[in-house]
Amino acid sequence: MRKVEHILEDNRRFAEPRLQVIAATPALRERDLAKAASITEAVAEALRQRGVADRLAGLAARTGWAAFHQAAQAWIDDPSQSLDVHLLQAFDDLRALSLTPVAGDSGR
């Protein structure tokens, strides 16, 4: 994910208008979701080829895509920091969340 940062940062002036057009157009939202699913599956397959168990590869790919999406939106909302900073923050937040006990959790 960090390897594509420079592509997005170099094209930042197109990112915000693109997101606005997608958000306003149902057919483009559907296409964007299909593209995200395709990217997620490609990442999962790459993880499987590296020996990651199927169940974990899918989870890691979906979680990674969600963190990347969160970071990209944060970058659009707060351009004072690089995409890299937002991406690192998203993964730090994810790690912290996974270590935080959930209220009412029975210890499963």
Side-chain angles (χ1 to χ4, degrees), residues 36-73:
S38 179
I39 291 169
T40 300
E41 182 51 39
V43 170
E45 183 57 32
L47 291 170
R48 287 183 202 103
Q49 289 179 8
R50 291 183 179 182
V52 176
D54 185 57
R55 177 177 67 88
L56 297 177
L59 177 61
R62 286 188 298 277
T63 303
W65 179 254
F68 183 82
H69 185 76
Q70 176 77 17
Q73 186 60 55

Side-chain angles (χ1 to χ4, degrees), residues 18-99:
R18 176 188 171 275
L19 292 175
Q20 290 172 346
V21 169
I22 289 170
T25 312
L28 291 178
R29 281 196 311 267
E30 184 176 332
R31 184 171 182 259
D32 196 50
L33 288 172
K35 183 174 75 170
S38 179
I39 291 169
T40 300
E41 182 51 39
V43 170
E45 183 57 32
L47 291 170
R48 287 183 202 103
Q49 289 179 8
R50 291 183 179 182
V52 176
D54 185 57
R55 177 177 67 88
L56 297 177
L59 177 61
R62 286 188 298 277
T63 303
W65 179 254
F68 183 82
H69 185 76
Q70 176 77 17
Q73 186 60 55
W75 175 64
I76 293 296
D77 294 342
D78 177 14
S80 69
Q81 295 185 29
S82 69
L83 177 56
D84 187 53
V85 168
H86 289 291
L87 190 57
L88 292 172
Q89 183 64 58
F91 281 101
D92 285 347
D93 291 346
L94 188 58
R95 272 189 292 281
L97 182 62
S98 70
L99 297 173

Side-chain angles (χ1 to χ4, degrees), residues 8-17 75-79:
L8 294 175
E9 287 187 340
D10 289 348
N11 292 292
R12 180 178 175 81
R13 64 189 172 131
F14 301 110
E16 189 170 354
W75 175 64
I76 293 296
D77 294 342
D78 177 14

